[in-house]
Amino acid sequence: MSDAPVIGVLALQGDVREHVAALAEAGADARPVRRARELDEVDGLVVPGGESTTISKLADIFELRDPIDKRIADGMPVYGSCAGMIMLATEVLDGRPDQRGFAGIEMTVRRNAFGRQVDSFEAPVGVTGIEGGPFHAVFIRAPWVERVGDGVEVLGTVTEGPAAGRVVAVRQGNLLATSFHPELTGDARVHAYFVAMVRASR
């Protein structure tokens, strides 16, 4: 029997296929998750980039909010990128009033903090605990972290340009979040880091 951890990608909206491919490259048995019964079969979950308000609504429509909340409370590792970071935050600035996430990481994030789609950019980001030098990070209508609570480790900040110093990667226990999109770069090191987190949690 394979010891590859089974990791789901929340397949409601966003760049699901790219995350599945990056997780597979990093050694996981990766699969899309759209139903509660599919969530039951995974050891960890990725909440992809996309549109956080849409993901929030669809989580309710597909009756996944409560099951995901329960799995997070029970210690399931979750990685959120871009919109996924917003979904994992306990507080969201500039979000819609009816927007609800999974509130797993004690942090405040600002939605679309780096600007609109036309303001998308790329910048080097070093991530603590991941070797090989800085990531070539892609930011698309990305959030940034304005506050972290006790127990939240800042893993990465933008190192140059007008956004230098902004927090863009964090971890709290089994929960990991980045503002940027590693699944779009061909660099699977963040996914390998998350796969290792999932292995360690089993």
Side-chain angles (χ1 to χ4, degrees):
M1 186 166 93
S2 171
D3 68 345
V6 179
I7 300 179
V9 179
L10 188 62
L12 302 179
Q13 192 255 355
D15 42 358
V16 175
R17 180 174 53 188
E18 293 85 353
H19 274 292
V20 168
L23 288 166
E25 182 181 343
D29 176 353
R31 56 187 69 174
V33 168
R34 294 184 186 88
R35 304 289 181 187
R37 66 178 180 274
E38 295 167 339
L39 182 68
D40 291 341
E41 299 172 353
V42 304
D43 303 309
L45 183 71
V46 172
V47 182
E51 217 293 315
S52 59
T53 56
T54 300
I55 295 171
S56 175
K57 290 178 181 177
L58 291 174
D60 289 326
I61 291 170
F62 281 80
E63 299 182 340
L64 278 166
R65 181 177 304 282
D66 288 345
I68 291 174
D69 284 345
K70 184 177 187 307
R71 290 294 306 274
I72 289 175
D74 289 344
M76 177 181 68
V78 180
Y79 165 47
S81 67
C82 197
M85 169 183 267
I86 295 169
M87 292 294 294
L88 287 176
T90 53
E91 182 181 17
V92 178
L93 305 178
D94 295 336
R96 289 170 53 106
D98 60 344
Q99 181 176 342
R100 285 203 307 130
F102 304 122
I105 299 178
E106 180 59 45
M107 64 179 173
T108 301
V109 302
R110 186 172 296 278
R111 186 170 171 263
N112 295 342
F114 288 103
R116 299 162 61 86
Q117 191 86 12
V118 295
D119 300 311
S120 299
F121 70 102
E122 301 176 16
V125 173
V127 178
T128 300
I130 300 180
E131 297 179 351
F135 283 88
H136 183 76
V138 176
F139 296 87
I140 303 171
R141 293 178 61 199
W144 66 43
V145 179
E146 296 207 347
R147 177 196 64 86
V148 295
D150 295 339
V152 179
E153 181 183 5
V154 173
L155 298 182
T157 58
V158 178
T159 56
E160 61 185 51
R166 291 295 183 180
V167 175
V168 293
V170 298
R171 177 176 178 180
Q172 182 174 5
N174 280 335
L175 304 179
L176 174 71
T178 64
S179 299
F180 54 91
H181 290 265
E183 74 282 1
L184 301 180
T185 65
D187 185 338
R189 286 180 292 156
V190 169
H191 291 81
Y193 180 91
F194 181 62
V195 170
M197 285 174 55
V198 177
R199 286 186 192 277
S201 75
R202 291 197 298 175

